[in-house]
Amino acid sequence: VESLNLCHRILVHTPSDMNKLKKLGLVNNVTLFPHGILDNQYSSRKRCYKFIDTSKVLIASYGFCLPNKGFDTLINSFNFLREQRLNVSLQLFTSIHESSLSIGYYNKLMNMIQESKYSKYISINSKYLSDQEILLNLSKADLIVYPYQFSNESSSASVRHGIASGTPVMVSPSPIFEDVRSCVLSTSGYGPDDFSQSILKFCSSNNQKIQSKSLRNWKDQHAFSKIGKRLNGIIRALLQ
């Protein structure tokens, strides 16, 4: 706390972060600063969001290959969707993390895919992709799902890649998504059934929320090109 008191500014992404620092006695040098999103050069193709039984639905997910990301939950949900005769494919973009848990979890996911009778409809990419590469891949999907379970982080960078891609985004109830809740679709729970039902609902309804003017405004206000100017202003003011 003594070290943080020496800082001219502490930038945090959420009101929850501010409250945590307030309990430590840090108030005057704390500023709420939004977690930005990438400026995307790829325009998501126009879609009809009401799928019929014969439509091909591509679901993607993105994040480090760690147990709390919930990719195993999504695979189980995917298997159920195939059982319901939904013509769905799943792409996981999940690079290996330096954590010792990562390789073990990756092997678990590979085993689940190999054991699934729908394995030919599931792909997993564990390569480190550039921001533009991941945006391009995510923009090709019909839905991006973040089935995160628990997390100690207060904000998610990967979900912002999904939002920036222009593709509809669905997330778990995890608090890590609270600051983007107005921009995404949410499941009612963390289990495979919760995701299956939410995806089925998405595929059978017109989702105006994902194309709303408020979403476009939110993306514009949180673009790195815009908040970068704001950060520059904060730094310049501190130097005066």
Side-chain angles (χ1 to χ4, degrees):
V1 176
E2 291 181 4
S3 297
L4 292 175
N5 263 318
L6 297 175
C7 297
H8 290 90
R9 263 314 167 271
I10 301 173
L11 303 180
V12 297
H13 293 317
T14 68
S16 176
D17 292 332
M18 294 186 74
N19 290 331
K20 289 176 182 177
L21 292 177
K22 184 177 181 179
K23 291 179 180 179
L24 298 175
L26 297 166
V27 178
N28 295 332
N29 62 342
V30 178
T31 298
L32 187 64
F33 191 83
H35 189 164
I37 66 171
L38 294 165
D39 297 83
N40 184 14
Q41 64 174 301
Y42 305 109
S43 296
S44 185
R45 68 187 188 282
K46 290 184 178 180
R47 302 177 176 85
C48 174
Y49 291 104
K50 189 170 184 178
F51 297 103
I52 58 176
D53 292 343
T54 55
S55 296
K56 294 181 179 179
V57 183
L58 176 58
I59 296 175
S61 192
Y62 168 58
F64 276 120
C65 193
L66 292 168
N68 69 319
K69 302 302 183 183
F71 296 125
D72 52 324
T73 297
L74 186 56
I75 291 174
N76 286 328
S77 176
F78 167 83
N79 288 331
F80 174 80
L81 293 172
R82 292 294 312 189
E83 293 286 352
Q84 300 303 303
R85 301 181 181 277
L86 187 65
N87 191 4
V88 61
S89 297
L90 177 62
Q91 292 183 341
L92 302 177
F93 298 94
T94 176
S95 55
I96 303 299
H97 192 270
E98 61 184 10
S99 168
S100 59
L101 298 173
S102 190
I103 289 294
Y105 187 56
Y106 174 78
N107 290 334
K108 175 183 177 178
L109 296 178
M110 290 301 298
N111 288 335
M112 290 182 68
I113 294 172
Q114 291 167 6
E115 292 173 1
S116 171
K117 59 182 178 180
Y118 305 110
S119 58
K120 68 178 182 179
Y121 301 105
I122 310 174
S123 66
I124 184 167
N125 187 333
S126 61
K127 296 179 181 178
Y128 285 91
L129 301 177
S130 69
D131 287 334
Q132 293 307 316
E133 286 174 324
I134 194 61
L135 281 178
L136 177 59
N137 280 287
L138 294 178
S139 69
K140 295 177 180 178
D142 295 298
L143 177 67
I144 306 169
V145 179
Y146 292 88
Y148 288 22
Q149 304 296 298
F150 61 90
S151 177
N152 292 322
E153 299 175 273
S154 64
S155 182
S156 169
S158 59
V159 76
R160 283 165 168 74
H161 281 67
I163 294 172
S165 74
T167 297
V169 173
M170 180 179 292
V171 303
S172 74
S174 174
I176 195 174
F177 300 121
E178 283 308 309
D179 59 341
V180 298
R181 195 70 66 183
S182 64
C183 305
V184 299
L185 305 168
S186 299
T187 63
S188 59
Y190 294 86
D193 289 345
D194 298 305
F195 282 94
S196 298
Q197 294 306 315
S198 294
I199 293 171
L200 284 171
K201 182 179 179 180
F202 167 82
C203 292
S204 61
S205 63
N206 295 313
N207 293 278
Q208 297 301 320
K209 178 180 180 180
I210 52 184
Q211 307 178 75
S212 67
K213 182 178 180 180
S214 61
L215 172 57
R216 293 192 295 271
N217 289 339
W218 187 95
K219 290 167 68 174
D220 178 65
Q221 292 169 9
H222 288 77
F224 281 134
S225 58
K226 179 160 291 186
I227 65 173
K229 294 177 181 178
R230 179 180 168 186
L231 179 59
N232 180 62
I234 292 174
I235 295 173
R236 286 180 176 274
L238 291 172
L239 293 174
Q240 291 179 356

